[in-house]
Structures are given as C-alpha cells and as structure tokens.
Amino acid sequence: GDGDGDGDGDGAAPGEQQSGAAASELLRIDAERATILRNERTNEEVRAALVERLRANEEASRVLSSRLPQSVTSEGLRDFLKLLSSNQMMELEVMQLELQLRMRAHLEAAMAAQLAVRDDAIDRLVEALEANGIPLPPEAEAALAQVQPPEALRVAAVAEAEASA
C-alpha cells in the first residue's frame, strides 16, 4: 500500500484528502471572487466613461443650441434642429439606461453564481467537519440558519423595491 492504511494508494489519510479538497475549493472560490470584482471594476469604468461622454454631448448640445438663433435664420429649420437635437439627447439617455440595465443583469448573475459557489463551499466544509467527527459550533449553526438561497434573496429584493416604489 501507500502507508496510510486507507487502501486508496494516495499516501494521504482520509482527513488530509478532505482538507486538501476544501483548501482547493476555497482557492477556486477566491479566484472566482477576484474575477467578479475585476469585472465589476471594468463595468464601472465603462459606465463612468459613458457618463462622461454623455456630459460632453450635453454640453456640446447646449453650445450648439445657443448658437442656433444666429446661424440659422429660418424659424422652421431652427425648430427642426432643436427637435433633432432633443431627440438625439433622448437616444443617448436611453442607451445609457440600457447599458445600466445590462450591467445590473450581469452583476446579478455574477452575484447569484458567487452565492451558489459560497453555498456549495459551505456544504462541503460542513460535510468535511462531520466526516471527521468535528461538531459544528453553535455560532456556525446559527449563521447557517440565516443563509438564504440566491433566488429567495432576489425575490425579497424585488418585493422590497416594489414596496418602496
């Protein structure tokens, strides 16, 4: 055999295998969390750039609107250009809102995935403790009793948002 007496040929005792798997899982979870945080920062940078572009476009629109009476003498053409400018500003605002919605959807999906990973890691750690005869501390049991699945959190958030609207 492998010297550990468990007959699996790996050289590690059963508890060592489980703690190694738990450590590996924690490293994987930490890497996923870091990726999500990087994506959130990137999304925030994109949003900030779009907000800045929108502000610059609004300023350019104000400048053009102030010059409009001097540069366009036809009242009808001036009204048309004002409407066109207003329409373009609204299109920019719609694009910004759509981007925010997409970013929120991505963030919600990433958070739900992270919560699922967290729940899976907690389940594995509890199983490893139980398999090694280590009782779960009462504080941990109380904390686990308060953990809600991602779908329940989403439903509660939607209900809260609707109630405050």
Side-chain angles (χ1 to χ4, degrees), residues 70-90:
Q70 296 87 19
S71 59
V72 178
T73 56
S74 166
E75 185 71 26
L77 182 57
R78 198 171 23 238
D79 289 343
F80 171 75
L81 291 174
K82 285 180 183 177
L83 288 173
L84 184 62
S85 175
S86 176
N87 183 52
Q88 288 175 342
M89 292 305 297
M90 285 188 271

Side-chain angles (χ1 to χ4, degrees), residues 80-150:
F80 171 75
L81 291 174
K82 285 180 183 177
L83 288 173
L84 184 62
S85 175
S86 176
N87 183 52
Q88 288 175 342
M89 292 305 297
M90 285 188 271
E91 286 177 0
L92 284 173
E93 290 173 7
V94 166
M95 287 173 42
Q96 183 183 23
L97 291 172
E98 288 172 346
L99 175 65
Q100 288 177 352
L101 287 173
R102 282 195 307 272
M103 289 173 55
R104 284 185 184 178
H106 287 292
L107 179 59
E108 181 181 327
M111 291 173 72
Q114 186 64 32
L115 288 171
V117 168
R118 176 211 60 190
D119 292 346
D120 185 53
I122 290 170
D123 290 343
R124 288 179 187 220
L125 291 170
V126 169
E127 289 170 5
L129 288 172
E130 290 173 353
N132 288 295
I134 301 171
L136 196 60
E139 302 86 17
E141 286 182 17
L144 287 175
Q146 295 178 358
V147 173
Q148 296 180 6

Side-chain angles (χ1 to χ4, degrees), residues 6 8 25 29 31 37 41 52 60 62 81 83 86 97 119 128 134 146 150 153:
D6 64 358
D8 62 2
E25 182 70 11
I29 291 169
L37 291 174
R41 281 191 297 272
E52 185 57 37
R62 279 192 289 277
L81 291 174
L83 288 173
S86 176
L97 291 172
D119 292 346
I134 301 171
Q146 295 178 358
L153 292 171

Side-chain angles (χ1 to χ4, degrees), residues 2 4 6-24 128 132:
D2 59 9
D4 66 0
D6 64 358
D8 62 2
D10 68 356
E16 292 172 358
Q17 286 177 339
Q18 289 174 346
S19 67
S24 174
N132 288 295

